[in-house]
Amino acid sequence: VKIANYASINSNLAVGSKVIAVGAPSGVMYSVMIGTITQSQMRASVPDNEIKLLSTDIPRSPDTNGIILNTRGCITGFITDSFENIMGDTVVGFVELSSIQDVLRLMIEGKNAPYLGIEGKDVDSESAKNHNIEEGIYVTSVYPNSPAYNSGMRVADIITKVNGKKINSVSQLHTALMGTKYDSSIKITVARKNSGNMAVKKITVKPE
């Protein structure tokens, strides 16, 4: 039995690409189905990251699960029904491997991924100008009793820097977090509205 390799983190599955669903894509174990990517620009917020979602034209059942292979036989995604509100519930959707590859590597090494405990949305220059706020990451959720919450971060804070370096996106925050050494703290700069004005607040967080 040949074990499938993981696809390169730079593998780009565009709309129209052929993929192979293996596992139980139709609800039947050990089955294989071939289909085509129909959507490739979807994103979903998860703790401390934003993952890329793709949809196929492969019909799904309530018991759908398994992995997605590209035409070279490399694993490129994991079938999920966790984001039906984004991908719909009639076709097979999956998380692209590149979104979680660094987390998988830590798991293979028996390590936990550093956990901050927030979700957020990117604020680009145009959005910042339109809403009179700072560029960075608008915090949409702070998990109770998370390192972020216990350090004072709150919903509506805008993360602008991590360890003194400007942060423009959730993916940049994730990269910075994944580069944090175990048992080390990071310094996060946030902009917070106070009586109509934006105040700068520096928060020291020790990821778990």
Side-chain angles (χ1 to χ4, degrees), residues 77-95:
F78 298 90
I79 297 170
T80 179
D81 60 3
S82 298
F83 304 101
E84 289 183 358
N85 60 320
I86 300 174
M87 297 187 292
D89 60 0
T90 60
V91 295
V92 170
F94 64 96
V95 177

Side-chain angles (χ1 to χ4, degrees), residues 6-7 9 44 46-47 49-53 67 75-80 83 94-108 113 174 178:
Y6 288 110
I9 196 167
V46 295
N49 199 7
E50 184 180 65
I51 58 174
K52 184 176 181 180
L53 305 174
I67 59 175
I75 300 171
T76 192
F78 298 90
I79 297 170
T80 179
F83 304 101
F94 64 96
V95 177
E96 190 178 52
L97 181 66
S98 62
S99 299
I100 58 173
Q101 190 154 332
D102 48 5
V103 175
L104 288 175
R105 285 171 179 162
L106 286 178
M107 292 175 63
I108 291 170
H174 176 73
M178 294 297 290

Side-chain angles (χ1 to χ4, degrees), residues 170-190:
V170 175
S171 61
Q172 287 182 346
L173 173 66
H174 176 73
T175 298
L177 191 61
M178 294 297 290
T180 302
K181 293 182 179 180
Y182 175 74
D183 213 27
S184 297
S185 296
I186 58 174
K187 297 185 184 298
I188 298 178
T189 302
V190 303

